[in-house]
């Protein structure tokens, strides 16, 4: 699997998808990207900048959904050009695939939509790498069919991302057996270390989370062979407009990645 513009990985390291949950504005996005690029360059971690141009799955009607599709996508495009890194964003409907593909390098299929055949086919036909998040309601083995839908439409650049399994009504749990099981499909497998710690369906209508366990999830994922990690991060969680409850404070990212590089070196 090749991701366009991904820097060479000379240390056999994991790769990282990281950035804010949502594109909130150009200044803060560029600041986050600059910081993560500096850290990943120092640690020789191949890096993909992540940011959602629109948040379609929100609990409450008054939740932040975005600053405008084209405006946000242009910011993502600017990140890619200015820092020389690939970018990834979610798409939610088939008609969005071609639009988003003209700005970013990787199209992400949200977990709740991973069985939507038309969406997967539309993403596949753009020729971009497609990152499919495993549904909270699916087994790891079931993701073979998502891979098949993309590959059988002429696109072999597929990534699978685990983001935990539904555990009751308001919690998630990670079954780390799923990482080697999905790797057997001959695609890179990523662990979403932040969304897997969400506590959805809270009475307030705002998703909760357990960010103190991000390091635990990340270490375990690397130990069992994850090819990459997905981490949402923000420099000002108190004012983040989306998913503040489970993102990683940006100042903590460097120390975490230093530990994870050592774990990776110990297990390869």
């Amino acid at each position: 699997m090749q991701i366009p513009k991904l820097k060479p990985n000379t240390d056999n390291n994991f790769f990282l998808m990281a950035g804010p949950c949502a594109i909130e504005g150009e200044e803060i996005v560029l600041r986050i990207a600059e910081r993560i690029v500096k850290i990943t360059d120092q640690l020789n971690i191949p890096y993909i900048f992540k940011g959602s141009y629109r948040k379609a799955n929100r609990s409450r009607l008054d939740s932040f959904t975005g600053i405008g599709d084209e405006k946000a996508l242009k910011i993502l495009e600017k990140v890619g050009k200015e820092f020389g890194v690939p970018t990834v964003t979610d798409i939610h409907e088939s008609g969005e695939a071609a639009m988003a593909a003209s700005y970013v390098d990787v199209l992400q299929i949200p977990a709740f939509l991973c069985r939507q055949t038309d969406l997967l086919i539309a993403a596949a036909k753009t020729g971009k790498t497609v990152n499919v998040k495993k549904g909270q309601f699916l087994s790891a083995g079931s993701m073979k069919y998502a891979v098949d839908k993309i590959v059988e439409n002429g696109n072999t650049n597929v990534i699978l991302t685990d983001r935990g399994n539904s555990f009751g009504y308001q919690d998630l749990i990670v079954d780390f057996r799923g990482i080697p099981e999905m790797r057997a499909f001959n695609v890179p497998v990523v662990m979403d270390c932040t969304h897997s710690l969400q506590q959805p369906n809270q009475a307030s209508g705002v998703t909760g989370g357990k960010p103190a366990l991000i390091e635990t999830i990340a270490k375990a994922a690397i130990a069992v062979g994850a090819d990459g990690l997905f981490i949402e991060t923000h420099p000002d969680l108190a004012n983040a407009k989306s998913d503040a409850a489970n993102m990683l404070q940006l100042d903590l990212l460097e120390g975490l990645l230093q530990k994870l590089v050592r774990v990776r070196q110990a297990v390869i």
Side-chain angles (χ1 to χ4, degrees):
M1 190 279 300
Q2 301 225 346
I3 300 172
K5 300 192 295 181
L6 198 58
K7 294 178 181 178
N9 185 357
T10 58
D11 288 343
N12 194 23
N13 222 339
F14 58 88
F15 66 92
L16 177 69
M17 293 182 177
C21 177
I23 301 298
E24 301 175 1
E26 183 173 312
E27 186 275 331
I28 192 165
V29 165
L30 293 178
R31 178 154 57 102
I32 293 169
E34 182 178 28
R35 179 66 180 139
I36 302 176
V37 167
K38 182 178 180 181
I39 294 169
T40 53
D41 280 353
Q42 289 174 343
L43 296 174
N44 195 31
I45 297 171
Y47 174 52
I48 304 167
F49 179 86
K50 182 271 166 186
S52 297
Y53 73 89
R54 174 157 41 91
K55 301 302 296 184
N57 176 24
R58 302 287 88 187
S59 296
R60 289 170 37 166
L61 186 61
D62 61 353
S63 296
F64 174 81
T65 57
I67 60 173
D69 292 358
E70 187 176 13
K71 183 177 181 181
L73 285 166
K74 284 183 176 179
I75 292 172
L76 281 163
E77 183 180 47
K78 184 171 183 177
V79 168
K81 290 179 177 178
E82 190 161 317
F83 297 104
V85 296
T87 54
V88 55
T89 198
D90 322 65
I91 58 172
H92 313 92
E93 298 179 6
S94 302
E96 298 176 18
M99 174 187 70
S102 64
Y103 293 96
V104 301
D105 303 287
V106 182
L107 299 178
Q108 182 167 287
I109 309 300
F112 283 131
L113 302 177
C114 68
R115 284 171 50 92
Q116 296 297 102
T117 300
D118 289 348
L119 181 61
L120 291 168
I121 291 173
K125 289 184 175 179
T126 67
K128 299 288 186 174
T129 297
V130 183
N131 177 35
V132 188
K133 287 203 169 181
K134 185 187 78 64
Q136 302 94 317
F137 45 88
L138 286 179
S139 68
S142 298
M143 292 304 291
K144 176 183 184 299
Y145 304 107
V147 174
D148 289 347
K149 289 174 184 178
I150 297 167
V151 171
E152 289 173 15
N153 277 276
N155 188 338
T156 59
N157 293 322
V158 185
I159 302 170
L160 293 180
T161 295
D162 194 344
R163 51 98 74 236
N165 302 311
S166 295
F167 188 68
Y169 290 114
Q170 294 178 317
D171 208 355
L172 297 167
I173 191 167
V174 177
D175 180 355
F176 286 99
R177 297 174 299 177
I179 292 177
E181 187 171 356
M182 290 190 290
R183 291 188 83 230
F185 306 148
N186 295 314
V187 298
V189 174
V190 173
M191 183 72 234
D192 184 338
C193 304
T194 46
H195 287 101
S196 60
L197 292 166
Q198 283 184 334
Q199 293 180 303
N201 306 318
Q202 299 297 307
S204 65
V206 178
T207 296
K210 297 180 179 179
L213 292 174
I214 292 171
E215 181 174 323
T216 301
I217 297 294
K219 284 179 176 177
I222 293 299
V224 299
D227 299 285
L229 298 176
F230 181 108
I231 298 174
E232 288 189 339
T233 183
H234 197 284
D236 183 11
L237 294 178
N239 292 300
K241 295 182 178 180
S242 180
D243 278 6
N246 56 274
M247 281 195 285
L248 180 72
Q249 178 70 33
L250 183 58
D251 289 345
L252 300 177
L253 182 63
E254 183 172 8
L256 173 61
L257 292 177
Q258 288 172 343
K259 293 177 184 178
L260 296 174
V261 167
R262 293 197 293 272
V263 174
R264 175 71 172 188
Q265 291 169 346
V267 298
I268 58 174

